[in-house]
Amino acid sequence: TKSWRLKLNRLDYYQRLVLQAQTEVADTYYLQGKFGEAAEYLNRLLKLDNPQLNKSQVIYKIIRSLAAMNRHTEVVAQAESFLAQYPQFPEVAEVRFLLADALKKQGHTREATQQVLILLESQQAATNQLGNWVYWQQRTGNEIANQLYKEGDYLNALEIYQGLAGLSTAASWQLPVWYQMGLVYERLMQPAKAAEFYTRILDREKEL
């Protein structure tokens, strides 16, 4: 029995050693920006199915690596899986940004818009992650909405700008968003609505 226990302990030791070595190789490629090699080694780590493996971090790095290589279909699949499995993890906000961006680049505009709105409407419970969460809300909304505006998709852009305007009441944040909304209403041939937002901006100009 003692001999058997020693063999098990030795096996456990070697498994930890293999896990550590492969994790270091994957992280080295990842940090060097060699995302193809990183994704390959990260996927190997998942196949080990080791209980000591931080799966959420591995999948998160796979998603970022795939996004860097513009492998949009795989990003969508992996990101949707991540969001379903780890809805409370701090990386959720960035993963939803990568999902929305991949959907937009695939031409799935409405689905991308929906992902942005989900992020804008969501609240992060962990206060220590609040700054990071707000950053990704603002970046995601701005990037996707501005792309939609440039492409002439004014209704989807407007929906996102409306969500963005509610993120903060600070003049430094809200006024530029209102300006974009004014521009959208101009493009939609609604000058009265555009004027309403431009008037709001002038009324609060002194706050800047």
Side-chain angles (χ1 to χ4, degrees), residues 41-104:
Y41 272 89
L42 290 165
N43 276 305
R44 285 187 198 176
L45 282 171
L46 286 180
K47 288 175 184 175
L48 290 176
D49 201 27
N50 191 309
Q52 296 175 2
L53 183 67
N54 188 339
K55 283 189 176 182
S56 66
Q57 280 299 308
V58 172
I59 298 170
Y60 164 67
K61 288 175 182 176
I62 289 173
I63 294 167
R64 292 195 77 198
S65 297
L66 294 170
M69 294 185 289
N70 293 315
R71 286 159 62 172
H72 308 311
T73 303
E74 293 168 82
V75 170
V76 170
Q78 292 279 4
E80 287 177 342
S81 175
F82 182 95
L83 293 170
Q85 290 182 72
Y86 310 107
Q88 301 302 320
F89 278 56
E91 293 84 8
V92 160
E94 183 180 355
V95 169
R96 202 172 287 283
F97 162 73
L98 294 171
L99 172 58
D101 188 56
L103 286 167
K104 177 70 184 64

Side-chain angles (χ1 to χ4, degrees), residues 103-122:
L103 286 167
K104 177 70 184 64
K105 286 171 179 172
Q106 285 184 309
H108 303 311
T109 303
R110 191 58 204 159
E111 291 92 332
T113 302
Q114 287 170 346
Q115 290 300 324
V116 176
L117 294 174
I118 289 170
L119 179 57
L120 294 180
E121 291 164 8
S122 63

Side-chain angles (χ1 to χ4, degrees), residues 111-143:
E111 291 92 332
T113 302
Q114 287 170 346
Q115 290 300 324
V116 176
L117 294 174
I118 289 170
L119 179 57
L120 294 180
E121 291 164 8
S122 63
Q123 298 294 323
Q124 175 66 314
T127 53
N128 63 330
Q129 291 292 333
L130 187 59
N132 180 59
W133 195 264
V134 171
Y135 166 80
W136 285 109
Q137 284 180 317
Q138 293 177 344
R139 178 177 171 183
T140 304
N142 266 320
E143 286 197 19

